Structures are given as C-alpha cells and as structure tokens.
Amino acid sequence: MSSFSDISALSAAEESHYMQQWLPLVKKVVRQLAPLANNLMDRDDIEQVALMGLLESLRRFGRPDEQFASYAMQRVRGAVLDQFRQQDWRPRSLRQQAHKINDAIREMTRRLGHEPSEEQICQQLNLSQETWYAYLQQVNLSNLESLDTLLSVEGSSGNASALSGAVLEDEVDIQRTLAQAVAALDERERVILHLYYQQGMSLKEIAQVLELTEARVCQLNKKISEKIKTYF
C-alpha cells in the first residue's frame, strides 16, 4: 500500500501511463461539475484543471494502489472547485439574489415552524423554476467545497502511516463522526451521497436513476450537506 512516507518518484513514462489509465476519472469529475460552472469556464478549461489535479495526485501519492481512486477523486474534484472559487464563479447579482432567498427561507421557517417546501418558497418569492434551480446550484457548489474537505478524510486514510499519532487520532475522530453522520441519513439520502461522491454521477444522472427532478435531487443534496455538517 502506498503512503506519503515511502513515495518513490514516478518516471515521466510512468506518469504518462498512469495519466492515460486514470483519464476516465477526470472525465467523470468534469461531467459531474461542468454544469455548475455557470458559463464561467468552458469544458476544455475545466478538463485541463482536472488533469492537473490528477497529475498532482500521482506525484503526491506515488504508484497507484487500491486506495488511489478515492484519493484522486477528491483531489481532482477539489482542484476544479478551487478554480471555480478563484474565478469568483457567481456574478454579483446572483450572490445578492442568493442572500435574499436565504433570508426569506429563514423567515418562512421561523413563521411556519418548519422548513418551507420548494413550492411555498417559489410562490412566496415569485421565483421561476429556473431561478430556483440556479439558486440550488449555487448553494450546492458552496456546500461541495466544505463537504468535500470532510469526505476527503476517507480518501487520505490509506496513507495513515505517514501521520503523527496526534494527527492520526484527530482523523480517526473525524472518520467516526462522519460515519455517524452518514448513518443518520435516510436510505435515499445515503444513495444520493454514494452516487454523487463515490460514483461521481452528476445531479442529472442521479435524478434519472431515482426518477426525480434534477432540482429535487439538488435540494436533497443540500439537505445532506447540512445534516452532515451539523455533526461537526
């Protein structure tokens, strides 16, 4: 099993070989995240960022083993999300609109005593389905950035031999908390979590599998992120 403590540098030929071997992983991440780019980056640019993430994964991890897929998926996805954030992917008008919707949802929740439904929110704020879905995409991308950081613990757990005792203990605690958080999800939420984060499916693909609307899956993904983060 590879670990950060015993990495031997890959040759240029080995890097090229492994880049080709793991190219499908890059394609999967690009297919998953490209719809969230909000026209800020085209698909080719996103793929280049993802490829650099894969290369960095190989150079940090070393020769791939059974732990590499999970580790590389997190690193490649993280590279793309970082690029989105650096590019300030949300126009100012959309950020302002998101704040307005957030405030309105909190007020409706306080007044109703429970979280309002999608229909209630759209009716109260006079939002079109397109505007509501755009809002959910923004929220989901923000949630992805923080939730991916937590889920990446699993991706790095195979390299535990390189960690100090104190750091390893912290990571074990995080993994235990994460396991509890996932166990608290209902069955459908666990399926979505698995399909999105482990299988790398896009929200549209998950919607087709579960026979839901893409907006509904987006909303459920938001709830999953919120539930897991409450454990931390």
Side-chain angles (χ1 to χ4, degrees), residues 136-174:
L136 289 176
Q137 284 184 312
Q138 294 173 57
V139 171
N140 265 298
L141 191 48
S142 298
N143 285 333
L144 277 175
E145 292 175 350
S146 57
L147 189 54
D148 261 33
T149 301
L150 295 175
L151 295 177
S152 66
V153 174
E154 290 186 326
S156 62
S157 60
N159 302 289
S161 61
L163 301 175
S164 68
V167 174
L168 179 57
E169 184 177 354
D170 287 342
E171 296 221 353
V172 169
D173 286 341
I174 293 174

Side-chain angles (χ1 to χ4, degrees), residues 59-73:
R59 290 177 175 175
R60 287 178 58 87
F61 193 93
R63 193 164 282 101
D65 61 14
E66 67 276 5
Q67 301 289 335
F68 180 72
S70 177
Y71 174 77
M73 177 72 79

Side-chain angles (χ1 to χ4, degrees), residues 10-23 51 54-55 58-59:
L10 299 175
S11 67
E14 286 176 320
E15 281 189 354
S16 178
H17 168 73
Y18 288 127
M19 288 291 288
Q20 287 296 319
Q21 178 181 339
W22 291 96
L23 186 59
L51 284 169
L54 175 61
L55 180 59
L58 287 168
R59 290 177 175 175

Side-chain angles (χ1 to χ4, degrees), residues 35-82:
L36 302 179
N38 199 38
N39 298 320
L40 184 69
M41 297 174 61
D42 63 33
R43 201 179 189 91
D44 289 341
D45 289 337
I46 296 173
E47 185 167 323
Q48 286 301 311
V49 173
L51 284 169
M52 292 304 297
L54 175 61
L55 180 59
E56 179 67 16
S57 298
L58 287 168
R59 290 177 175 175
R60 287 178 58 87
F61 193 93
R63 193 164 282 101
D65 61 14
E66 67 276 5
Q67 301 289 335
F68 180 72
S70 177
Y71 174 77
M73 177 72 79
Q74 296 293 342
R75 296 284 300 187
V76 172
R77 188 190 285 120
V80 175
L81 293 174
D82 283 345

